[in-house]
């Protein structure tokens, strides 16, 4: 197998004094999720006596984002996964540093101080980002079946109270519309 990678070599003039007197600052934009991108930075140092080699491994991420689909939402845990919005990007997974050989120079006489190897990782990762939906809310309330039974219990109690109060209201209205008999003096005789 042929593996491709990018190599960055940093050369410095000979005769540098002091210990860690050379540095390279590397920064890059890294997508942490489909909606958020951050800037990462790292400082690499070396000296003429200790040239460094660093391998950075980047992992491919396939991010799937759910969609609102009525009250349920589309979660992608089935064959509908291909219908979801998909983004691919690379993230830094790991890094490996070690000391290199001393004395390596280029054609201008500059000494090699730091070599960076940017490589792809052997593994890939799939992330899934859910959207908010009624089912997700019910699951967050303490379980889907518990939440559904609670939601069904509330209308039953409401219907009971409505029927009970309607019965009392009907009884009250029926007594209000009855003709009243007044006692007149002729009735007392």
């Amino acid at each position: 197998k042929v593996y491709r990678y990018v190599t960055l070599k940093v050369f410095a003039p000979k005769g540098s004094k002091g210990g860690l007197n050379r540095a390279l600052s590397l920064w890059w934009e890294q997508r942490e999720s489909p909606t958020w991108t951050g800037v990462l930075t790292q400082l690499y140092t070396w000296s003429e006596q200790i040239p460094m080699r660093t391998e950075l491994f980047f992992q491919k991420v396939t991010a799937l984002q759910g969609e609102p689909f009525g009250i349920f939402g589309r979660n992608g845990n089935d064959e509908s996964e291909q219908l979801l919005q998909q983004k691919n990007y690379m993230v830094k997974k790991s890094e490996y540093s070690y000391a290199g050989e001393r004395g390596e120079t280029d054609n201008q006489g500059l000494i090699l101080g730091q070599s960076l190897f940017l490589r792809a990782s052997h593994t890939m990762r799939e992330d899934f980002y859910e959207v908010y939906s009624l089912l997700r809310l019910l699951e967050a309330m303490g379980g889907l079946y518990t939440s559904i039974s609670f939601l069904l219990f509330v209308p039953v109690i409401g219907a009971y109270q409505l029927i009970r109060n309607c019965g009392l209201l009907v009884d009250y209205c029926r007594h209000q519309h009855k003709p009243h008999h007044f006692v007149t003096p002729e009735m007392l005789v």
Side-chain angles (χ1 to χ4, degrees), residues 52-159:
M52 296 300 295
R53 309 294 180 261
T54 305
E55 297 183 28
L56 290 93
F57 293 93
F58 290 85
Q59 184 178 43
K60 180 181 178 182
V61 176
T62 300
L64 300 172
Q65 190 166 358
E67 299 176 342
F69 187 71
I71 62 169
F72 300 109
R74 186 174 296 161
N75 59 12
N77 292 334
D78 52 16
E79 281 72 32
S80 68
E81 187 174 295
Q82 287 84 20
L83 303 174
L84 297 176
Q85 184 179 4
Q86 180 176 337
K87 291 184 180 179
N88 294 316
Y89 49 88
M90 302 287 280
V91 296
K92 181 183 169 197
K93 181 182 177 191
S94 61
E95 178 176 318
Y96 176 66
S97 296
Y98 53 93
E101 291 183 28
R102 289 177 42 183
E104 187 177 337
T105 59
D106 67 353
N107 55 3
Q108 297 175 352
L110 299 175
I111 193 164
L112 179 64
Q114 175 76 46
S115 295
L116 293 173
F117 301 95
L118 308 177
R119 303 176 183 264
S121 176
H122 291 289
T123 59
M124 297 185 335
R125 159 177 116 207
E126 185 176 276
D127 291 344
F128 182 74
Y129 298 91
E130 284 188 86
V131 294
Y132 292 103
S133 65
L134 181 61
L135 282 180
R136 185 161 182 214
L137 173 70
L138 293 175
E139 287 175 357
M141 286 174 53
L144 183 60
Y145 300 109
T146 305
S147 301
I148 288 176
S149 64
F150 174 73
L151 288 178
L152 292 176
F153 178 71
V154 170
V156 168
I157 294 297

Side-chain angles (χ1 to χ4, degrees), residues 161-178:
Q161 290 294 330
L162 182 68
I163 291 171
R164 182 173 170 257
N165 291 331
C166 283
L168 293 173
L169 182 64
V170 168
D171 189 43
Y172 174 76
C173 289
R174 190 169 13 136
H175 289 297
Q176 288 292 327
H177 295 295
K178 282 188 176 179

